[in-house]
Amino acid sequence: MAEDMNKQTTEDQTFQQGLQPVDSGDLAPVQPVAGEPGEVASHEAGASAVEAVGSFFTTGAAAMNEMRSARKAHAEARDQLETLDDTIANEEAELAHRREIEGNYAQIIADQTARRDAAAEAGSAAVQEQNRLQQEIDALKEQLQQMKDADAQTDKRLKAALDAAEAREASARENGARLQRRLDDAKKNLEKAEREQADGVAAAQAAVQSADARLKMLKEEQVEVQRNPSANSAAYSVRSGELEQEIADAEHELALATADLPRITRELADALEYARRAVSEAEKPMAEAKAAFSEVSAAADEARNTYREAKDAAAERQRGMKEQISAQEKAKREQEQAAEDAQAEAHDAQALIDEANDIHAHPEVTQTIAARLEADRAEREQQAAEVEELASVERTVRERTRGSRTRFIGAIVGIVVVVVAIVVAIVVLLHK
């Protein structure tokens, strides 16, 4: 039967593509033609052929329509049968449910009443627990706020102490840096005095040596001039006088350089000693300054540690308090959910009680459903017989019209193939 249904579907699709059956009444009537007997016979043969083609298409189309109508009637009957089956199943379930409740009415009322009362009691207890938890949450939040205020005051006080300690540390650091710069300058001046003392003494000694060497050279030249007087007495007299003057100048210069040497040596020694005393004076407060800086720096470190530890301790305390509040809020939410569940439980129990009371109070409804079920079952038997009958009719029509439908579909397919071939040929010719 499935194979026949598939074949029928293909046949219907082919038929529904717009290829309507040809009515023999639409064919033009054959006009009689006067003339020779051969011509009359020819026209009669043509008319017979046209009538045969029209009859072929009419028969095929009728077979297709008959098959489609039989299948449609069968399908509609099956749908009605399925609808009845669903209705009967629902009625059976409802009737069984009502009879079960009627049979256990007293027990259901007792059980659901106890369930409703227990749920109501549980819901009331959950609400009371919510109120208690909310009071604890409010108290913890107040404690947290007080804790925050106290921690803020402590933080303010410790921050002020830290700022003061860091200010003293900065001042001590600056004082130490100033004293260090003073010592560095004194050391630089000492180094400069040492270089000047060495260079000054060396220069004074060099001046004495230079003046003494020049005096000796002039005296040697004078001795040489006196030992070998020149033939030119005038030149001799001039040079002799010059040497005397130069010797006198050199003796004066040597005397001055010799007199300056101890003075310069003494002055440079005094400057060096002064520079050394300046370094010594600059070094004296350094030890005290370093000790003072170490003391204030240690105090600043202690203040920093105290401030940091206080902040960490405050954060830890507040975090612990917040965790307590969070735990209590979670417990409150659980009680809220428990109250909602209890309320839903009570509503469900009450709904079952109301349903049981309604069914118990209206037995006529149960009787009506039972009567309707019996009527639907009887109707189903009739409908099942009708479905079987229509299935038999569909099979009979399929077998009886199989040949006509097959030839009709084959002819339609052949016509389509010819039309397509003609169109393809025309297209090919137009493109040549």
Side-chain angles (χ1 to χ4, degrees), residues 99-206:
R99 286 175 175 173
E100 181 183 3
I101 289 177
E102 186 64 32
N104 301 288
Y105 172 72
Q107 186 65 40
I108 290 173
I109 294 300
D111 292 345
Q112 297 304 320
T113 300
R115 177 188 174 199
R116 180 195 61 191
D117 295 343
E121 184 178 353
S124 177
V127 171
Q128 292 178 1
E129 183 65 12
Q130 288 178 47
N131 295 333
R132 187 189 68 79
L133 289 171
Q134 185 60 53
Q135 292 176 357
E136 290 188 3
I137 290 170
D138 294 339
L140 288 173
K141 286 184 176 180
E142 184 177 357
Q143 293 177 21
L144 176 61
Q145 186 59 48
Q146 294 174 356
M147 183 183 295
K148 287 182 177 179
D149 295 339
D151 290 340
Q153 291 297 325
T154 301
D155 182 86
K156 183 178 180 180
R157 176 176 56 79
L158 293 178
K159 186 64 169 62
L162 174 60
D163 291 342
E166 288 182 341
R168 289 192 296 271
E169 182 183 32
S171 176
R173 183 181 292 106
E174 178 59 29
N175 182 58
R178 179 176 57 79
L179 293 176
Q180 185 63 48
R181 289 194 298 271
R182 177 186 172 189
L183 177 59
D184 292 341
D185 292 341
K187 287 181 177 180
K188 289 179 181 179
N189 292 333
L190 175 59
E191 292 175 356
K192 180 180 178 182
E194 289 174 346
R195 289 195 303 272
E196 290 178 351
Q197 193 263 353
D199 295 342
V201 171
Q205 291 175 348

Side-chain angles (χ1 to χ4, degrees), residues 28 50 52 75 105 125 167 210 232 250 284 317 326 337 395:
V50 171
Y105 172 72
S210 175
N232 188 345
K284 286 180 181 180
R317 283 194 303 273
S326 178
Q337 185 62 49
R395 288 192 296 271

Side-chain angles (χ1 to χ4, degrees), residues 215-229 236 239-248 251:
L215 178 60
K216 289 179 180 180
M217 182 188 66
L218 290 174
K219 286 183 177 181
E220 289 176 358
E221 183 180 357
Q222 184 182 35
V223 171
E224 184 65 25
V225 170
Q226 289 175 354
R227 187 175 57 249
N228 298 309
Y236 170 80
R239 182 55 187 158
S240 178
E242 291 177 349
L243 285 173
E244 290 179 357
Q245 184 59 42
E246 289 178 0
I247 289 171
E251 289 175 346

Side-chain angles (χ1 to χ4, degrees), residues 11-308:
E11 294 165 358
D12 289 346
Q13 291 176 349
T14 305
F15 178 75
Q16 292 171 359
Q17 291 176 353
L19 302 176
Q20 299 296 331
V22 179
D23 189 355
S24 59
D26 294 338
L27 297 176
V30 180
Q31 299 294 332
V33 181
E36 296 296 327
E39 294 176 353
V40 174
S42 177
H43 284 294
E44 291 177 352
S48 297
V50 171
E51 290 177 357
V53 171
S55 177
F56 169 76
F57 278 102
T58 300
T59 302
M64 296 288 289
N65 289 332
E66 184 179 3
M67 185 65 230
R68 185 166 58 252
S69 297
R71 191 177 65 255
K72 181 179 179 182
H74 183 205
E76 290 176 350
R78 281 201 313 271
D79 292 341
Q80 292 177 4
L81 182 61
E82 290 176 359
T83 301
L84 275 173
D85 286 339
D86 293 339
T87 301
I88 290 171
N90 293 332
E91 290 172 345
E92 288 175 345
E94 184 178 1
L95 183 61
H97 176 65
R98 294 178 71 88
R99 286 175 175 173
E100 181 183 3
I101 289 177
E102 186 64 32
N104 301 288
Y105 172 72
Q107 186 65 40
I108 290 173
I109 294 300
D111 292 345
Q112 297 304 320
T113 300
R115 177 188 174 199
R116 180 195 61 191
D117 295 343
E121 184 178 353
S124 177
V127 171
Q128 292 178 1
E129 183 65 12
Q130 288 178 47
N131 295 333
R132 187 189 68 79
L133 289 171
Q134 185 60 53
Q135 292 176 357
E136 290 188 3
I137 290 170
D138 294 339
L140 288 173
K141 286 184 176 180
E142 184 177 357
Q143 293 177 21
L144 176 61
Q145 186 59 48
Q146 294 174 356
M147 183 183 295
K148 287 182 177 179
D149 295 339
D151 290 340
Q153 291 297 325
T154 301
D155 182 86
K156 183 178 180 180
R157 176 176 56 79
L158 293 178
K159 186 64 169 62
L162 174 60
D163 291 342
E166 288 182 341
R168 289 192 296 271
E169 182 183 32
S171 176
R173 183 181 292 106
E174 178 59 29
N175 182 58
R178 179 176 57 79
L179 293 176
Q180 185 63 48
R181 289 194 298 271
R182 177 186 172 189
L183 177 59
D184 292 341
D185 292 341
K187 287 181 177 180
K188 289 179 181 179
N189 292 333
L190 175 59
E191 292 175 356
K192 180 180 178 182
E194 289 174 346
R195 289 195 303 272
E196 290 178 351
Q197 193 263 353
D199 295 342
V201 171
Q205 291 175 348
V208 172
Q209 293 173 359
S210 175
D212 184 63
R214 182 168 180 271
L215 178 60
K216 289 179 180 180
M217 182 188 66
L218 290 174
K219 286 183 177 181
E220 289 176 358
E221 183 180 357
Q222 184 182 35
V223 171
E224 184 65 25
V225 170
Q226 289 175 354
R227 187 175 57 249
N228 298 309
S230 173
N232 188 345
S233 58
Y236 170 80
S237 298
V238 171
R239 182 55 187 158
S240 178
E242 291 177 349
L243 285 173
E244 290 179 357
Q245 184 59 42
E246 289 178 0
I247 289 171
D249 292 339
E251 289 175 346
H252 180 69
E253 181 178 353
L254 176 60
L256 290 177
T258 302
D260 284 340
L261 177 60
R263 179 185 61 79
I264 291 173
T265 300
R266 185 176 60 256
E267 289 178 353
L268 291 174
D270 292 342
L272 180 60
E273 182 61 25
Y274 178 79
R276 286 173 177 168
R277 286 198 303 270
V279 170
S280 178
E281 291 296 325
E283 287 177 341
K284 286 180 181 180
M286 289 301 297
E288 183 179 353
K290 288 180 179 179
F293 176 75
S294 297
E295 182 178 353
V296 297
S297 179
D301 290 340
E302 183 178 357
R304 277 189 286 267
N305 292 333
T306 301
Y307 180 70
R308 182 175 60 254

